[in-house]
Amino acid sequence: MDRRESKLRAHGGHYGDPQGGKPLTWMINSKQKTKNRQAVCPRSRTAPPGMRKAGRTYCDEYPFASTYQGGTKLPASQRESTWVSPNENNTQGARITNWRRPTHAMDKDPFYVIA
């Protein structure tokens, strides 16, 4: 479980939590996905010095930008962003893609995050 999900789970019942939350819903609209990501991780936002020193230079968000709950759709208490390394960012993105393709997830399909 990564830090974002761990922090949100501490509040209980967040979107995507199979232990009492509502499901996330997949979104295939790539333009909206970009808007969702920019809403919480704008290009103008840079990692703080301590994060840069640790190699954590990529802003990563939860819920994922590729969901209808992404961006600022949910209140701040139900979303989180953090700084991750480029490798961690790529690995997480690949995990999502590797799940989505073989399951043929369609627009608005619900899912939970088990981490």
Side-chain angles (χ1 to χ4, degrees), residues 1-16:
M1 178 183 323
D2 72 22
R3 287 184 246 357
R4 299 180 316 252
E5 293 158 9
S6 178
K7 186 174 178 182
L8 287 173
R9 284 179 191 235
H11 297 295
H14 72 83
Y15 273 84

Side-chain angles (χ1 to χ4, degrees), residues 14-90:
H14 72 83
Y15 273 84
D17 182 356
Q19 303 298 321
K22 296 177 183 178
L24 291 169
T25 47
W26 192 253
M27 181 185 62
I28 61 170
N29 183 327
S30 60
K31 287 182 182 179
Q32 186 60 50
K33 178 180 173 181
T34 298
K35 289 178 185 177
N36 285 352
R37 182 168 287 112
Q38 288 299 310
V40 292
C41 291
R43 289 188 182 131
S44 61
R45 185 176 174 202
T46 59
M51 290 292 162
R52 286 196 306 269
K53 186 175 181 178
R56 302 174 71 82
T57 58
Y58 279 56
C59 181
D60 198 19
E61 78 287 342
Y62 187 88
F64 312 121
S66 55
T67 66
Y68 280 95
Q69 294 76 25
T72 57
K73 306 292 184 303
L74 299 178
S77 64
Q78 286 290 301
R79 54 187 160 89
E80 187 67 43
S81 65
T82 193
W83 297 98
V84 298
S85 69
N87 184 54
E88 185 177 348
N89 190 61
N90 292 336

